[in-house]
Amino acid sequence: MSGLSTGENVYVLARVVGSIRLSPSFIRVEFCVEGPGALSSSGLPDEVVHLYFPADGEESPPLMTMKDGVLAHHEPGSERESRNYTVRRWDGDRITIDFVDHGDGLAASWARNATPGQTLGMWGTRAWYSPPTDTDWMLLVADLPGVPALLRILEELPPEMPVHAIAEVSHADDVLAHSGAASIDWRIGGNGHRASQLADAALAYEIPAGNGYIWFAGEASIGRALRKHFRNEHGMPANRLALIGYWRDDRDGWVRRYMPQSEALIADYQRVAANAHTEAEAEIYWDEILERAGL
């Protein structure tokens, strides 16, 4: 349900210093974080920051402060919508984020019109990527929202690490270059527009001998299929799986089914998570609870 809280949970203003369209589906925006050292990277390659967007007519969203250990807006009517986004690159006070342009969503609409000088609220970070030190090989899988994290992982891996990466994008022109040593098995499809090939491609991978680590970021049902396969068929322990549902197909229908059960499901999760040894175990428990509830 959460992920590793590994960065400083402080709120800062992030100013746009440049933007460029990388492909039909990706828009890269570079930010300057106001106040050097106010927000620091966790150093984990799939870290996300929380972005708060201004309302129409605002130059920047209202400030947020800590109160009773909780970061929040405190003035009536000052709440602003937020979204979580992977940091593609973090260099000092410069943060680069690759936005997915997928229709009229809040973040995509903002990114299409981002110009230097515009400001967002930002705080963070959270991350999930945590391979054990004895990892012998990796399987990395992502659809569009997970591609920026996948590319950053590849770029930061030692070149001698055996890794198989699979990425599914919407258009052939969404295939992006990276500086890592490993190649990527690019697939075109899925992402809410066509049938996805990701689960079949990942389940067909013949896992090597030794201790593996599997990381997935994308549509939640695909992550579930991977979890069930590698847990049930290969007996992989929770600490060797990081399967993050970045989004859900038919999200509105899922929310309608979830809300009447939410309190009971969260109570169930809190009971079992108290006995979890790691965040990875807790994440798997949560997905299993949702599956039993038909979610």
Side-chain angles (χ1 to χ4, degrees), residues 6-10 12 33 37-43 47 49 90 92 95 124-125:
T6 50
E8 294 184 29
N9 291 325
V10 296
V12 299
V33 178
L39 187 65
S40 62
S41 170
S42 67
E47 65 188 340
V49 290
W90 197 317
I95 294 176
T125 63

Side-chain angles (χ1 to χ4, degrees), residues 100-218:
V100 177
D101 188 357
H102 53 79
D104 296 326
L106 172 66
S109 298
W110 179 89
R112 282 196 294 271
N113 299 293
T115 56
Q118 290 181 301
T119 303
L120 294 183
M122 183 182 293
W123 75 278
T125 63
R126 292 191 300 159
W128 294 263
Y129 178 82
S130 183
T133 56
D134 63 348
T135 296
D136 297 312
W137 57 267
M138 290 189 183
L139 172 63
L140 309 176
V141 185
D143 59 20
L144 275 172
V147 163
L150 185 150
L151 297 180
R152 186 175 167 189
I153 291 171
L154 289 178
E155 290 175 351
E156 297 184 11
L157 276 176
E160 65 273 13
M161 171 60 71
V163 56
H164 183 66
I166 310 168
E168 187 169 61
V169 292
S170 292
H171 308 277
D173 289 343
D174 290 329
V175 172
L176 302 180
H178 68 94
S179 61
S183 61
I184 298 174
D185 175 9
W186 291 98
R187 304 296 178 103
I188 311 301
N191 294 291
H193 303 294
R194 285 173 281 174
S196 174
Q197 305 172 46
L198 268 187
D200 288 343
L203 300 186
Y205 175 63
E206 188 173 341
I207 65 172
N211 296 319
Y213 183 74
I214 298 173
W215 176 93
F216 164 81

Side-chain angles (χ1 to χ4, degrees), residues 1-4 128 227 231 238-239 241 243 265 268-290:
M1 292 177 68
S2 55
L4 304 175
W128 294 263
R227 183 261 297 169
R231 290 277 282 175
N239 69 329
L241 298 170
L243 309 172
L265 294 175
D268 285 347
Y269 169 77
Q270 290 173 337
R271 281 193 291 271
V272 297
N275 297 317
H277 298 293
T278 65
E279 286 281 348
E281 279 189 1
E283 295 280 353
I284 286 174
Y285 291 158
W286 176 239
D287 188 57
E288 290 172 344
I289 288 169
L290 292 177

Side-chain angles (χ1 to χ4, degrees), residues 27-67:
I27 302 169
R28 174 165 293 174
V29 181
E30 184 179 0
F31 297 90
C32 178
V33 178
E34 308 289 359
L39 187 65
S40 62
S41 170
S42 67
L44 298 178
D46 67 342
E47 65 188 340
V48 301
V49 290
H50 313 270
L51 301 179
Y52 287 81
F53 295 83
D56 290 343
E58 286 184 331
E59 292 187 1
S60 63
L63 293 175
M64 300 175 70
T65 57
M66 296 293 294
K67 184 176 182 180

